[in-house]
Amino acid sequence: MDKQKLLQEKGLKTTTARVALLDFLEQEGSPLDVVTIVEKLHQQADQATVYRILDILTKKDLVNRLEFGEGKYRYEIQKNHHHHLICTNCGTISDVPGDFLGKFEKEIKDKKGFLVKSHLLEFFGLCRSCQS
Amino acid sequence: MDKQKLLQEKGLKTTTARVALLDFLEQEGSPLDVVTIVEKLHQQADQATVYRILDILTKKDLVNRLEFGEGKYRYEIQKNHHHHLICTNCGTISDVPGDFLGKFEKEIKDKKGFLVKSHLLEFFGLCRSCQS
DNA sequence: ATTCTTGCAAAACGTTTGCAATCCG
DNA sequence: CGGATTGCAAACGTTTTGCAAGAAT
């Protein structure tokens, strides 16, 4: 995917830091915290810059900001709607596809009058190799 | 509910700070952040103490720790399994009862081999009075 | 040329910790 | 009495911000 075009479409200037960050997140796939991102980006962007880029990319929906109850944020490249399976033993994070809450959100609208715009759903447990 | 008994059952000493905090959270009902709790507790407990109490009460399942993507934790008194409807306009938080994910968690186990132990689910949108 | 973006350093914010004093059982 | 709990202050990790320099359109 052409990162330059992606950025232009969102009205953002093309900079090496932004392209590097997008490339990196795309290649990684799973949600990472900022310390890790800065480390792996290896000098290509200052920490403050990383925060600023992640912030603006999140607002432009190119990146997804998540919380896993760790007291910090994680970021991943935007993809099809999915949730995460977080292994509380080894820390591995895998994706689980699908948006199966639509039915329930309609129910909420009907019964409570609350109009759901988005939701946050993550699963915690044990991955296959950590069960025994 | 008798807070002293509750604490004793969990092997915790009865202190004025703990009882005050439990009373307060029970009376409030919805999830609050620590600053708010300390404020409303009005001198009945230091901030560090509040953190420590919330920590231990969370571990003992008397209190529930939540994250709403705000970069901080919120705490509520433990009640029946439920999720939250968070109005992104006025900030009001209401409960929505029910644990309807069991079916999907079984599916996850069957298809992915991942054993779900707990989940995190919150809904964001507009409450009845903020739609127009 | 003008506006946007970056690096650096400092600050802000939420949370945790060390230690001595105090309280509970 | 002895161990658990607390207050205070300091430390910590994460995130944000001010400002001057630099880069993109």
Side-chain angles (χ1 to χ4, degrees), chain B residues 41-94:
Chain B
L41 237 41
H42 204 65
Q43 318 265 32
Q44 290 184 93
D46 180 75
Q47 171 174 295
T49 302
V50 170
Y51 274 106
R52 280 188 278 232
I53 294 177
L54 289 171
D55 209 57
I56 199 169
L57 294 183
T58 300
K59 281 177 184 138
K60 298 291 189 180
D61 281 319
L62 295 177
V63 157
N64 213 359
R65 194 180 76 174
L66 306 162
E67 257 177 328
F68 290 170
E70 304 166 299
K72 64 184 174 187
Y73 294 114
R74 283 177 180 257
Y75 298 85
E76 68 180 352
I77 197 85
Q78 192 63 291
K79 7 180 187 178
N80 292 335
H81 191 82
H82 65 284
H83 302 286
H84 300 99
L85 307 177
I86 300 142
C87 180
T88 51
N89 187 245
C90 71
T92 300
I93 299 166
S94 55

Side-chain angles (χ1 to χ4, degrees), chain A residues 34-89:
Chain A
V34 174
V35 172
T36 306
I37 294 171
V38 170
E39 244 169 39
K40 299 279 192 76
L41 238 41
H42 206 66
Q43 317 266 34
Q44 290 184 93
D46 179 75
Q47 169 174 297
T49 302
V50 170
Y51 273 106
R52 280 187 278 231
I53 294 178
L54 289 171
D55 208 57
I56 200 169
L57 294 183
T58 300
K59 280 176 185 139
K60 299 290 188 181
D61 280 319
L62 296 177
V63 157
N64 214 358
R65 194 180 75 173
L66 305 161
E67 257 178 328
F68 291 170
E70 306 166 298
K72 65 186 174 187
Y73 294 113
R74 283 177 180 257
Y75 298 84
E76 67 179 354
I77 197 85
Q78 192 64 290
K79 9 180 187 177
N80 292 335
H81 191 81
H82 65 285
H83 303 287
H84 300 98
L85 307 178
I86 300 142
C87 180
T88 51
N89 187 244

